[in-house]
């Protein structure tokens, strides 16, 4: 008898799909999207439709191992869990005693979006240890900081409302690749006559499916938003009543955006002035209009300013009042869990440090491992992340990881680039094999999954590994004995009205429960009547601080850099990857080995499609295969990310080119502000 089990896709994707796993004789034979889930609607993306291949891959890590060759070489020998835990606990204790506990650095991001395995027992462990804290900036820090400043609450239009929109702007959002469960709502809106526009330096699949695509210079989005506001204000197309009641600082805003007339904005963004005027008029008058902002455009030097400026648009036009209006960047903040109770930052005070530990920005891992002092990083514990592929400035990262005096522990499912540098490598479960609780950053459903499958070999969950390590270290605080259910109860027990009535028992029965947002299950209109989370309760235009200067690494930036490296490289998400998670799949590797460029840039370099090219700048280089076409305009090249560096003939990927420079706010990475030169490789 086949047995149907529920699960949740834990990958770092806004959709957080509800999954159905068909199990026969203890083995999964089919994985599909739950047809009853209002967002998943019975389908999966291409990458996860094939997830069982990954689940049962012969390359899964099955046993604890100790490094047996040079760092980076990837040679290991099997050891027992007993030996592994003893060695890790012993080395961490010795390093803390000799250098201070801050010499230990955890490194994790979103390998799993599960809250228990992503920020549960691990956080408790490192706080109690007094380890350096990791500032988890690598993805959404700039946009998050910008929205907090502007809106206070980082609430968002729910995906279900997109069906009611008449104009949908995908602004730095590759919906078909990274958020495909929003697409059916857009299709529905378009069936009713909605227009769908994309604003992106790369005309990807989503851009090809749009009614209109705007090629924008990388990093210049703030200028476009100012230009749109210029027209909206000058032509009196704003919502004077909404602005009066619910915003602060309109008079200054009016003065500020006067400085961004369409001709200036054309020069900054590359979008023709008449198109800017037309877009502004449409955005303000075709109602309701919604903006799907994704994280793409905040990964530039002016990323925070871009998000701030764009987030002012729905306040200016009063679009938050309308079902199908507003803006979505991330819905995360509506999940008002008791995170403090899960993570227990207070345990730091009980650590030998007796205070909050220093904060280390994960975007600057290269710096942290090669330059940090007092104390230097002597131990690195990596889980839910593959920094030797995904962090910028890889030459520095690799120098750091190769340090003989650095003790590195890696918790992984596969032999990644990072795993190759481990001293101790621990095998972990996949989301199909452990219990966890999930939010969705592109919808409003809380979900829970129990193990659908047994772990292979000796794999253990992050929660269990940190629980065992805590015991070895002698941490006897009761929270280290918490079960997964205890931790979920803590999370759900915040008392916030959005979570009222959502319990572990109910999630066991229903698997997915909608937050109590919107009246009686009606549409969620968080800012229809103001209610912003800023100190003033209003949307803050804060116009005195709005400005735009082009990124240093851009065509209008540092002139001497531009003369040597005249091409703007972006490395956005690849259709069939999840950052580096599927980097060992041959088909994914092929896609992430490409460099897209246009004929105008290819011809003077004698480059044709299929040629091997070297992309380089002062920080490094990497080898890719040219694809000459029309997906990028002159001056822009695009390399879909993120390749496992070791799959490449030169063992390098695009992050050997990217810098550790931070965004204007939030301390985020600037992956997409990256000047390079490209040359054809000799035959
Ligand atoms: N298939 C797939 N899905 C994924 C992921 C993946 O790797 N693959 N990763 C997941 C993760 S971690 C995240 S954060 C989300 C991100 O989801 P998205 O933000 O949608 O993805 P990105 O590709 O980072 O960026 C979106 C678009 O922004 C464009 N862009 C780059 N620079 C600029 C700019 O300066 N201005 C404008 N307007 N656009 C710009 C890129 O070309 C890209 O098309 O996706 C998640 N989903
Ligand atoms: N050039 C360039 N670089 C980028 C980006 C880009 O667009 N361009 N995007 C950036 C962004 S937005 C992000 S979010 C980061 C993503 O960076 P990461 O969060 O590091 O993402 P992944 O590369 O997917 O690596 C996640 C790893 O976690 C492992 N994993 C999965 N589940 C578990 C688990 O339960 N336990 C443990 N221990 N491990 C698990 C997977 O096997 C995988 O190797 O990359 C950033 N880097
Ligand atoms: S990666 Fe996203 S779209 Fe694909 S199954 Fe997971 S949650 Fe759904
Ligand atoms: Mo991300």
């Amino acid at each position: 008898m086949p047995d149907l089990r529920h699960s949740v896709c834990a990958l770092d994707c806004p959709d957080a799909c509800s999954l159905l796993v068909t199990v026969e004789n203890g083995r999964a034979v089919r994985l599909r999207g739950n047809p009853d889930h209002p967002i998943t609607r019975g389908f999966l993306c291409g990458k996860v439709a094939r997830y069982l291949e990954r689940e049962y891959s012969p390359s899964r890590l099955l046993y604890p191992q100790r490094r047996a060759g040079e760092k980076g070489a990837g040679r290991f020998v099997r050891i027992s869990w007993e030996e592994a835990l003893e060695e890790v606990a012993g080395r961490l204790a010795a390093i803390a005693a000799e250098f201070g506990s801050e010499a230990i650095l955890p490194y994790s991001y979103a390998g799993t979006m599960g809250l228990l395995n992503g920020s549960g027992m691990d956080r408790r462990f490192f706080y109690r240890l007094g380890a350096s804290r990791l500032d988890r900036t690598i993805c959404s820090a700039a946009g998050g900081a910008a929205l907090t400043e502007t809106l206070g609450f980082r609430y968002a239009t729910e995906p279900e409302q997109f069906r009611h929109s008449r104009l949908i702007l995908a602004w730095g959002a590759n919906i078909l690749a990274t958020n495909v469960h929003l697409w059916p709502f857009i299709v529905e809106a378009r069936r009713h006559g909605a227009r769908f526009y994309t604003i992106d330096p790369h005309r990807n699949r989503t851009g090809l499916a749009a009614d209109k695509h705007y090629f924008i210079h990388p990093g210049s989005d703030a200028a476009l938003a100012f230009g749109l506001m210029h027209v909206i204000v000058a032509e009196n197309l704003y919502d004077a009543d909404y602005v009066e009641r619910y915003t602060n600082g309109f008079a200054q805003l009016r003065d500020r955006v006067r400085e961004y007339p369409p001709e200036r904005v054309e020069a900054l963004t590359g979008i023709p002035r008449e198109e800017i005027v037309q877009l502004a008029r449409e955005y303000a008058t075709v109602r309701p209009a919604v903006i799907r902002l994704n994280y793409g455009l905040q990964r530039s030097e002016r990323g925070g300013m871009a998000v701030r400026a764009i987030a002012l648009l729905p306040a200016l036009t009063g679009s938050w009042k309308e079902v199908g209006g507003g803006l979505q960047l991330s819905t995360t903040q509506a999940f008002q869990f008791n995170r403090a109770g899960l993570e227990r930052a207070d345990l730091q005070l009980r650590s030998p440090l007796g205070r909050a530990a220093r904060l280390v920005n994960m975007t600057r891992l290269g710096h942290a491992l090669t330059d940090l002092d007092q104390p230097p990083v002597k131990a690195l514990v990596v889980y839910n992340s593959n920094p030797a592929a995904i962090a910028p400035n890889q030459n520095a990262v690799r120098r750091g990881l190769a340090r003989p005096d650095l003790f590195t522990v890696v918790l992984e499912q596969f032999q990644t680039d990072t795993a190759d540098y481990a001293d101790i490598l621990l095998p972990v479960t996949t989301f199909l094999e452990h219990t966890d609780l999930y939010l969705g950053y592109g919808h409003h459903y809380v979900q829970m999954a129990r193990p659908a499958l047994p772990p292979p070999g000796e794999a253990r969950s992050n929660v269990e590994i940190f629980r065992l390590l805590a015991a070895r270290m002698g941490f006897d605080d009761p929270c280290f004995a918490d079960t997964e259910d205890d931790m979920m109860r803590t999370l759900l027990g915040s008392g916030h009205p959005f979570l009222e009535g959502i319990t572990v028992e109910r999630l066991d029965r229903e698997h997915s429960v909608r937050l109590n947002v919107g009246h009686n299950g009606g549409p969620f209109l968080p800012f229809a009547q103001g209610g912003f989370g800023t100190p003033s309760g209003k949307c803050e235009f804060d116009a005195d601080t709005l400005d735009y200067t082009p990124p240093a690494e851009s065509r209008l930036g540092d002139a001497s850099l531009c003369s040597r490296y005249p091409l703007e490289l972006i490395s956005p998400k690849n259709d069939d990857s999840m950052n580096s998670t599927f980097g060992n799949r041959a088909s994914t590797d092929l896609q992430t080995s490409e460099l897209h460029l246009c004929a105008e840039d290819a011809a003077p370099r004698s480059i044709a499609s299929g040629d091997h090219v070297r992309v380089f700048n002062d920080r490094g280089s990497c080898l890719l295969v040219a694809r000459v076409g029309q997906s990028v305009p002159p001056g822009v090249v695009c390399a879909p990310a993120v390749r496992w560096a070791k799959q490449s003939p030169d063992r390098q990927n695009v992050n050997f080119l990217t810098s550790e420079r931070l965004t204007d706010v939030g301390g985020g990475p600037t992956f997409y502000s990256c000047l390079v030169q490209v040359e054809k490789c000799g035959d």
Side-chain angles (χ1 to χ4, degrees):
M1 257 306 271
D3 174 4
L4 205 58
R5 301 188 185 164
H6 281 264
S7 191
V8 179
C9 176
L11 296 187
D12 186 358
C13 169
D15 300 359
C17 285
S18 168
L19 306 178
L20 293 178
V21 193
T22 312
V23 180
E24 281 177 9
N25 306 320
R27 201 177 158 87
V29 293
R30 188 173 175 209
L31 180 71
R32 62 193 165 105
N34 183 350
D36 299 326
H37 193 276
I39 306 296
T40 307
R41 297 171 85 176
F43 75 98
L44 299 177
C45 65
K47 52 200 175 290
V48 172
R50 291 169 51 197
Y51 194 85
L52 292 181
E53 268 174 31
R54 186 169 197 274
E55 174 69 22
Y56 292 122
S57 163
S59 310
R60 277 286 296 272
L61 297 176
L62 301 177
Y63 309 103
Q65 298 179 83
R66 178 186 286 125
R67 185 166 54 80
E70 267 178 38
K71 289 199 175 195
R75 278 200 302 283
F76 288 85
V77 291
R78 180 175 171 182
I79 55 175
S80 68
W81 269 107
E82 178 60 30
E83 288 170 284
L85 294 169
E86 196 55 38
E87 179 151 349
V88 174
R91 290 291 296 271
L92 294 183
I95 286 166
E98 188 176 352
F99 299 96
S101 55
E102 285 169 308
I104 300 164
L105 179 69
Y107 198 91
S108 74
Y109 201 65
T112 172
M113 290 293 290
L115 290 156
L116 310 187
N117 285 283
S119 59
M121 207 50 94
D122 54 311
R123 300 298 161 97
R124 294 177 180 183
F125 176 78
F126 290 111
Y127 282 134
R128 178 66 183 78
L129 189 58
S132 285
R133 289 174 301 146
L134 187 71
D135 196 3
R136 292 178 169 80
T137 56
I138 201 88
C139 176
S140 60
L147 280 195
T148 303
E149 199 175 326
T150 311
L151 309 179
F153 295 128
R154 284 173 281 115
Y155 292 156
T157 303
E158 51 199 338
E160 294 95 321
Q161 282 182 40
F162 277 63
R163 56 159 69 97
H164 302 297
S165 305
R166 305 284 297 172
L167 175 64
I168 300 167
L169 300 184
W171 197 327
N174 184 4
I175 295 165
L176 278 174
T178 64
N179 177 202
V180 68
H181 290 84
L182 184 60
W183 193 250
F185 298 107
I186 295 174
V187 170
E188 199 177 326
R190 292 175 90 182
R191 256 204 317 269
H192 296 115
R195 304 169 205 175
F196 173 66
Y197 299 161
T198 45
I199 305 172
D200 199 305
H202 180 215
R203 192 170 192 184
N204 49 38
R205 277 206 296 154
T206 310
L208 285 171
D211 296 306
K212 195 161 174 37
H213 178 78
Y214 298 88
F215 279 115
I216 187 168
H217 294 338
S220 70
D221 301 271
L224 177 59
F226 296 154
L228 298 179
M229 289 192 263
H230 174 101
V231 178
I232 292 168
V233 172
E235 300 190 0
N236 262 322
L237 299 174
Y238 61 96
D239 182 336
D241 179 58
Y242 191 92
V243 165
E244 165 68 26
R245 286 179 199 229
Y246 306 128
T247 71
N248 247 346
F250 177 68
Q252 294 93 314
L253 180 79
R254 191 171 46 205
D255 292 344
R256 180 46 54 105
V257 299
R258 211 173 270 142
E259 299 162 26
Y260 290 86
E263 46 288 358
R264 180 174 178 210
V265 175
E266 172 178 331
L268 293 170
T269 63
I271 301 175
R273 62 198 74 177
E274 27 338 315
E275 294 192 15
I276 294 166
V277 174
Q278 177 64 21
L279 179 61
R281 288 178 185 155
E282 280 186 66
Y283 175 69
T285 60
V286 178
R287 312 297 289 258
V290 70
I291 300 173
R292 175 54 163 131
L293 195 62
N294 211 329
Y295 285 109
L297 62 77
Q298 47 117 54
R299 283 188 206 102
S300 77
E301 292 170 36
R302 301 289 172 260
M305 186 58 68
V307 172
R308 256 184 77 195
I310 295 165
L312 299 180
L313 285 164
L316 194 62
T317 61
S319 156
W320 287 117
K321 294 188 305 199
E322 295 160 359
V323 175
L327 172 145
Q328 186 191 104
L329 175 57
S330 160
T331 56
T332 315
Q333 210 179 24
F335 295 82
Q336 296 277 358
F337 295 121
N338 176 11
R339 293 267 198 151
L342 179 69
E343 300 182 0
R344 297 290 310 270
D346 57 294
L347 289 168
Q348 285 173 108
L349 306 178
R350 313 220 317 94
S351 78
L353 269 182
R355 58 167 168 83
R358 71 174 170 192
L359 198 58
V360 174
N361 187 335
M362 73 185 297
T363 298
R364 305 197 64 213
L365 179 64
H367 163 80
L369 294 181
T370 55
D371 254 351
L372 209 59
D373 230 333
Q374 295 181 329
V377 175
K378 288 286 186 179
L380 181 73
V381 183
V382 181
Y383 55 102
N384 297 343
S385 186
N386 182 13
I390 62 89
N393 197 15
Q394 278 295 320
N395 274 313
V397 172
R398 298 302 181 100
R399 261 201 319 281
L401 289 173
R403 272 173 41 204
D405 64 322
L406 179 72
F407 176 62
T408 302
V409 183
V410 178
L411 284 64
E412 249 304 346
Q413 298 158 345
F414 286 87
Q415 191 69 40
T416 59
D417 288 286
T418 308
D420 286 348
Y421 285 90
D423 291 287
I424 298 289
L425 179 54
L426 302 175
V428 294
T429 44
T430 67
F431 60 85
L432 294 172
E433 300 155 4
H434 55 236
T435 297
D436 219 321
L437 187 77
Y438 298 90
L439 49 72
Y441 63 91
H443 62 63
H444 292 105
Y445 295 82
V446 187
Q447 300 181 82
M448 194 252 272
R450 298 288 183 190
L453 300 172
E458 296 179 1
R460 287 175 156 158
S461 71
N462 294 344
V463 171
E464 196 183 344
I465 293 172
F466 285 107
R467 201 187 272 130
L468 291 167
L469 281 174
R472 292 265 158 175
M473 304 288 292
F475 300 160
D476 53 8
D477 312 70
C479 69
F480 289 108
D482 274 2
T483 62
E484 275 76 348
D485 283 30
D486 294 334
M487 292 164 84
M488 291 195 283
R489 285 201 176 89
T490 299
L491 271 171
L492 294 168
S494 68
H496 194 279
F498 287 179
L499 286 170
E500 201 182 310
I502 304 180
T503 60
V504 172
E505 291 69 26
R506 185 163 167 211
L507 285 165
D508 257 324
R509 282 193 311 273
E510 299 176 27
H511 314 292
S512 171
V513 178
R514 185 177 147 92
L515 293 171
N516 304 308
V517 290
H519 272 296
N520 299 323
F524 180 41
L525 297 171
F527 307 125
Q529 294 164 322
F532 293 96
T534 54
S536 64
K538 296 187 171 188
C539 173
E540 292 292 348
F541 288 140
D542 201 8
D544 295 343
T545 61
L546 292 176
D547 71 346
Y548 177 72
T549 45
E553 291 207 30
S554 74
R555 67 184 72 203
L556 299 174
D558 181 329
S560 89
L561 208 56
C562 277
S563 67
R564 284 181 295 144
Y565 304 116
L567 298 171
E568 295 169 319
L569 169 74
I570 57 168
S571 48
K573 309 306 184 203
N574 179 51
D575 282 11
D576 291 330
S577 338
M578 178 50 65
N579 303 310
S580 74
T581 294
F582 297 105
N584 50 346
R585 274 186 184 165
S587 56
T588 301
D589 188 58
L590 210 60
Q591 294 162 357
T592 52
S593 66
E594 296 189 334
L595 181 78
H596 299 267
L597 75 174
C598 67
E600 290 88 331
D601 288 324
R605 295 173 176 81
S606 308
I607 293 169
S609 273
D611 284 347
H612 290 262
V613 292
R614 196 172 79 92
V615 189
F616 61 99
N617 60 20
D618 286 340
R619 288 177 292 269
S621 73
C622 79
L623 295 178
L624 294 168
V625 177
R627 285 282 162 249
V628 182
Q630 295 173 340
S631 72
V632 286
V636 177
V637 293
C638 174
V642 181
R643 193 175 198 189
W644 273 19
K646 64 176 166 182
Q647 305 280 72
S648 171
D650 62 346
R651 299 180 70 84
Q652 312 211 353
N653 70 7
V654 282
N655 281 328
F656 283 77
L657 301 162
T658 53
S659 81
E660 287 182 52
R661 186 181 282 133
L662 302 179
T663 47
D664 46 4
V665 295
T670 55
F671 290 113
Y672 307 164
S673 294
C674 181
L675 287 174
V676 298
Q677 180 57 289
V678 178
E679 66 184 15
K680 185 173 166 167
C681 294
D683 299 311

